Tab-separated table of all heavy atoms in Angstrom:
chain	number	residue	atom	x	y	z
A	1188	ASP	N	153.910	271.916	119.473
A	1188	ASP	CA	153.967	270.997	120.606
A	1188	ASP	C	152.664	270.209	120.643
A	1188	ASP	O	151.589	270.785	120.636
A	1188	ASP	CB	154.148	271.793	121.901
A	1188	ASP	CG	154.574	270.906	123.067
A	1188	ASP	OD1	154.107	269.760	123.160
A	1188	ASP	OD2	155.375	271.374	123.873
A	1189	SER	N	152.770	268.876	120.702
A	1189	SER	CA	151.566	268.057	120.678
A	1189	SER	C	150.853	268.061	122.025
A	1189	SER	O	149.758	267.548	122.149
A	1189	SER	CB	151.922	266.623	120.287
A	1189	SER	OG	152.804	266.072	121.243
A	1190	SER	N	151.487	268.627	123.052
A	1190	SER	CA	150.885	268.643	124.376
A	1190	SER	C	150.337	270.016	124.735
A	1190	SER	O	151.071	271.003	124.763
A	1190	SER	CB	151.908	268.218	125.429
A	1190	SER	OG	151.373	268.386	126.717
A	1191	VAL	N	149.066	270.066	125.019
A	1191	VAL	CA	148.446	271.313	125.477
A	1191	VAL	C	149.037	271.716	126.820
A	1191	VAL	O	149.179	272.907	127.138
A	1191	VAL	CB	146.920	271.124	125.624
A	1191	VAL	CG1	146.248	272.428	126.033
A	1191	VAL	CG2	146.310	270.607	124.337
A	1192	LEU	N	149.418	270.722	127.614
A	1192	LEU	CA	149.870	270.984	128.981
A	1192	LEU	C	151.173	271.768	129.049
A	1192	LEU	O	151.493	272.343	130.084
A	1192	LEU	CB	150.052	269.658	129.732
A	1192	LEU	CG	148.812	268.776	129.891
A	1192	LEU	CD1	149.141	267.530	130.704
A	1192	LEU	CD2	147.680	269.535	130.555
A	1193	ASP	N	151.938	271.784	127.961
A	1193	ASP	CA	153.247	272.421	128.001
A	1193	ASP	C	153.305	273.782	127.309
A	1193	ASP	O	154.372	274.371	127.190
A	1193	ASP	CB	154.285	271.483	127.374
A	1193	ASP	CG	154.419	270.176	128.160
A	1193	ASP	OD1	154.311	270.223	129.401
A	1193	ASP	OD2	154.612	269.126	127.536
A	1194	LEU	N	152.170	274.283	126.863
A	1194	LEU	CA	152.164	275.562	126.140
A	1194	LEU	C	152.343	276.759	127.072
A	1194	LEU	O	152.992	277.734	126.723
A	1194	LEU	CB	150.849	275.715	125.366
A	1194	LEU	CG	150.726	274.885	124.095
A	1194	LEU	CD1	149.294	274.886	123.604
A	1194	LEU	CD2	151.660	275.424	123.016
A	1195	ALA	N	151.755	276.694	128.246
A	1195	ALA	CA	151.816	277.809	129.200
A	1195	ALA	C	151.402	277.275	130.554
A	1195	ALA	O	150.690	276.270	130.642
A	1195	ALA	CB	150.874	278.941	128.772
A	1196	PRO	N	151.820	277.930	131.641
A	1196	PRO	CA	151.405	277.451	132.962
A	1196	PRO	C	149.915	277.618	133.211
A	1196	PRO	O	149.327	276.879	133.993
A	1196	PRO	CB	152.227	278.311	133.923
A	1196	PRO	CG	152.597	279.524	133.152
A	1196	PRO	CD	152.738	279.078	131.729
A	1197	VAL	N	149.323	278.587	132.526
A	1197	VAL	CA	147.897	278.862	132.718
A	1197	VAL	C	147.204	278.940	131.360
A	1197	VAL	O	147.693	279.610	130.444
A	1197	VAL	CB	147.679	280.198	133.471
A	1197	VAL	CG1	146.185	280.475	133.637
A	1197	VAL	CG2	148.363	280.172	134.834
A	1198	VAL	N	146.088	278.219	131.240
A	1198	VAL	CA	145.253	278.301	130.041
A	1198	VAL	C	144.014	279.119	130.406
A	1198	VAL	O	143.204	278.677	131.230
A	1198	VAL	CB	144.833	276.904	129.548
A	1198	VAL	CG1	143.886	277.032	128.352
A	1198	VAL	CG2	146.050	276.068	129.173
A	1199	PRO	N	143.858	280.317	129.838
A	1199	PRO	CA	142.669	281.115	130.124
A	1199	PRO	C	141.414	280.425	129.588
A	1199	PRO	O	141.407	279.944	128.455
A	1199	PRO	CB	142.913	282.431	129.367
A	1199	PRO	CG	144.358	282.430	129.015
A	1199	PRO	CD	144.771	281.007	128.907
A	1200	VAL	N	140.399	280.350	130.429
A	1200	VAL	CA	139.116	279.777	130.031
A	1200	VAL	C	138.184	280.940	129.724
A	1200	VAL	O	137.782	281.681	130.621
A	1200	VAL	CB	138.541	278.882	131.144
A	1200	VAL	CG1	137.198	278.309	130.723
A	1200	VAL	CG2	139.520	277.754	131.466
A	1201	VAL	N	137.876	281.115	128.441
A	1201	VAL	CA	137.218	282.327	127.958
A	1201	VAL	C	135.769	282.046	127.547
A	1201	VAL	O	135.514	281.119	126.770
A	1201	VAL	CB	137.989	282.895	126.734
A	1201	VAL	CG1	137.355	284.198	126.265
A	1201	VAL	CG2	139.461	283.102	127.083
A	1202	VAL	N	134.865	282.847	128.060
A	1202	VAL	CA	133.470	282.804	127.623
A	1202	VAL	C	133.228	284.077	126.809
A	1202	VAL	O	133.283	285.189	127.350
A	1202	VAL	CB	132.502	282.751	128.823
A	1202	VAL	CG1	131.052	282.729	128.330
A	1202	VAL	CG2	132.786	281.526	129.693
A	1203	VAL	N	133.012	283.938	125.508
A	1203	VAL	CA	132.838	285.091	124.627
A	1203	VAL	C	131.354	285.311	124.345
A	1203	VAL	O	130.699	284.469	123.734
A	1203	VAL	CB	133.603	284.904	123.301
A	1203	VAL	CG1	133.381	286.108	122.384
A	1203	VAL	CG2	135.090	284.703	123.558
A	1204	GLU	N	130.849	286.442	124.796
A	1204	GLU	CA	129.449	286.799	124.534
A	1204	GLU	C	129.308	287.564	123.217
A	1204	GLU	O	128.329	287.415	122.501
A	1204	GLU	CB	128.895	287.656	125.683
A	1204	GLU	CG	128.950	286.991	127.056
A	1204	GLU	CD	127.915	285.892	127.236
A	1204	GLU	OE1	127.047	285.735	126.359
A	1204	GLU	OE2	127.983	285.195	128.266
A	1205	ASP	N	130.315	288.390	122.913
A	1205	ASP	CA	130.292	289.242	121.719
A	1205	ASP	C	131.512	288.906	120.873
A	1205	ASP	O	132.655	289.085	121.315
A	1205	ASP	CB	130.321	290.715	122.145
A	1205	ASP	CG	130.271	291.679	120.975
A	1205	ASP	OD1	130.345	291.224	119.809
A	1205	ASP	OD2	130.170	292.894	121.220
A	1206	VAL	N	131.286	288.410	119.677
A	1206	VAL	CA	132.399	287.980	118.833
A	1206	VAL	C	133.383	289.103	118.551
A	1206	VAL	O	134.578	288.857	118.326
A	1206	VAL	CB	131.872	287.346	117.520
A	1206	VAL	CG1	131.278	288.404	116.599
A	1206	VAL	CG2	132.967	286.551	116.821
A	1207	ALA	N	132.921	290.341	118.613
A	1207	ALA	CA	133.811	291.490	118.380
A	1207	ALA	C	134.901	291.583	119.445
A	1207	ALA	O	135.943	292.199	119.221
A	1207	ALA	CB	133.004	292.788	118.342
A	1208	ASP	N	134.671	290.972	120.609
A	1208	ASP	CA	135.663	291.016	121.687
A	1208	ASP	C	136.760	289.965	121.514
A	1208	ASP	O	137.816	290.048	122.142
A	1208	ASP	CB	134.997	290.765	123.049
A	1208	ASP	CG	134.095	291.897	123.489
A	1208	ASP	OD1	134.251	293.026	122.964
A	1208	ASP	OD2	133.228	291.663	124.359
A	1209	ALA	N	136.506	288.959	120.683
A	1209	ALA	CA	137.384	287.787	120.640
A	1209	ALA	C	138.823	288.124	120.264
A	1209	ALA	O	139.763	287.699	120.955
A	1209	ALA	CB	136.814	286.749	119.671
A	1210	VAL	N	139.011	288.877	119.196
A	1210	VAL	CA	140.367	289.152	118.712
A	1210	VAL	C	141.145	290.060	119.659
A	1210	VAL	O	142.274	289.729	120.037
A	1210	VAL	CB	140.328	289.702	117.267
A	1210	VAL	CG1	141.678	290.289	116.866
A	1210	VAL	CG2	139.927	288.581	116.301
A	1211	PRO	N	140.593	291.218	120.088
A	1211	PRO	CA	141.363	292.044	121.023
A	1211	PRO	C	141.643	291.333	122.344
A	1211	PRO	O	142.719	291.505	122.942
A	1211	PRO	CB	140.500	293.290	121.221
A	1211	PRO	CG	139.143	292.946	120.710
A	1211	PRO	CD	139.335	291.886	119.689
A	1212	LEU	N	140.715	290.513	122.791
A	1212	LEU	CA	140.910	289.771	124.030
A	1212	LEU	C	142.041	288.759	123.868
A	1212	LEU	O	142.939	288.653	124.722
A	1212	LEU	CB	139.608	289.056	124.399
A	1212	LEU	CG	139.591	288.378	125.756
A	1212	LEU	CD1	138.462	288.971	126.603
A	1212	LEU	CD2	139.332	286.899	125.602
A	1213	ALA	N	142.033	288.036	122.762
A	1213	ALA	CA	143.100	287.064	122.497
A	1213	ALA	C	144.451	287.754	122.353
A	1213	ALA	O	145.470	287.256	122.858
A	1213	ALA	CB	142.772	286.264	121.237
Side-chain angles (χ1 to χ4, degrees):
D1188 195 323
S1189 61
S1190 173
V1191 183
L1192 299 182
D1193 297 324
L1194 284 167
V1197 179
V1198 176
V1200 179
V1201 183
V1202 179
V1203 179
E1204 301 286 352
D1205 181 353
V1206 71
D1208 291 340
V1210 167
L1212 187 121

